Amino acid sequence: MSLRAQDITVRFGDRPVLAGITADFAKGGVIAIVGPNGAGKSTLLACLAGLLKPGVGAALLDGVSVATMLGRQRAKRIAFLVQTPEIAWDIDVRAFIGLGRTPHLGAFGPSGEDHAAVDAAIAAANLETFADRPVTRMSGGERARALIARALAGETDWLLADEPLTGLDPGHALDALALFRGMAHDQGRGVVVTLHDLNLAARFADRVLVMNEGRLVADAAPDVALTPQLLSDVYGVVVRRHVGETGPLIEVLGRAG
């Protein structure tokens, strides 16, 4: 099962946002999309999720345009985790996570399989002690974990996550990335995440796409994509890369030039 961006071009009015992006995404690995603010990362992810139809090109899931799929059909295959969600429902965490099962519900409501999927998602996100708490009374970091759990509950083939580490402390950020790697490596799902932290991308991603000004400038393994010269060109900073105890470290020394 493959997900493909085929010559995707998007314009917002007169402003070009994506310019002819073509890339293939395979299941079984974590793919990180990085780049400076305004590079087009979130727009590309929205196109892949079928939430935004490109002006030119298409996002294809097993050869079928994602934008033309019925919403329920698409939601069974792709879970999309938005960057800055608004949570207005005053429901408990378990019920909120259960919303991830909506595309699977039958005429008689949640089944035993649905309840089991919710329980597994709560455990995976380490939210057992919060299960009965109203979601509106959670901290930002706790809500971020609940949103991840809601996406996990859907048991989709693909998880597309836009800045999923926002609001998470370092420990829970590491937990989330380890969870994504388990989904990809152990369960064979496809995981595509946008990240700002280059060190986490270098450490956890199997493949990195680097974007700049709506264009794809690198698509390779982290060691190949995240070179000091390319990062200097894209971000306008001086970078030194070395190996630490936990893997590669990307140190930003200052502005270039």
Side-chain angles (χ1 to χ4, degrees), residues 98-120:
L99 294 174
R101 296 298 300 175
T102 300
H104 302 275
L105 296 181
F108 300 102
S111 65
E113 182 178 350
D114 295 318
H115 290 302
V118 171
D119 288 341

Side-chain angles (χ1 to χ4, degrees), residues 24-210:
D24 289 298
F25 302 86
K27 293 172 64 177
V30 176
I31 301 172
I33 304 176
V34 305
N37 294 334
K41 304 182 298 296
S42 297
T43 302
L44 176 58
L45 211 64
C47 290
L48 292 173
L51 302 180
L52 178 64
K53 186 176 180 179
V56 176
L60 305 174
L61 181 60
D62 299 336
V64 178
S65 172
V66 177
T68 64
M69 297 173 67
L70 296 176
R72 185 181 180 93
Q73 178 189 15
R74 185 173 63 235
K76 286 183 177 181
R77 304 285 305 281
I78 299 173
F80 182 66
L81 187 57
V82 298
Q83 182 177 353
T84 54
E86 293 290 336
I87 301 177
W89 307 294
D90 192 21
I91 57 177
D92 63 54
V93 172
R94 182 179 297 277
F96 177 74
I97 294 171
L99 294 174
R101 296 298 300 175
T102 300
H104 302 275
L105 296 181
F108 300 102
S111 65
E113 182 178 350
D114 295 318
H115 290 302
V118 171
D119 288 341
I122 289 173
N126 194 24
L127 288 170
E128 292 95 337
T129 59
F130 298 93
D132 298 320
R133 179 181 298 185
V135 71
T136 53
R137 299 181 191 175
M138 302 176 78
S139 70
E142 292 161 355
R143 289 190 189 190
R145 288 157 56 198
L147 285 159
I148 291 172
R150 186 180 69 174
L152 295 178
E155 297 182 319
T156 54
D157 297 323
W158 292 88
L159 172 64
L160 309 182
D162 193 10
E163 291 294 337
L165 307 185
T166 300
L168 294 181
D169 60 50
H172 284 120
L174 292 175
D175 290 343
L177 287 169
L179 181 60
F180 295 156
R181 282 181 67 86
M183 292 173 61
H185 294 179
D186 300 333
Q187 301 173 23
R189 302 193 205 181
V191 179
V192 185
V193 298
T194 63
L195 295 175
H196 273 297
D197 192 316
L198 298 175
N199 282 301
L200 292 179
R203 180 176 172 184
F204 284 93
D206 298 289
R207 181 170 144 225
V208 176
L209 277 63
V210 183

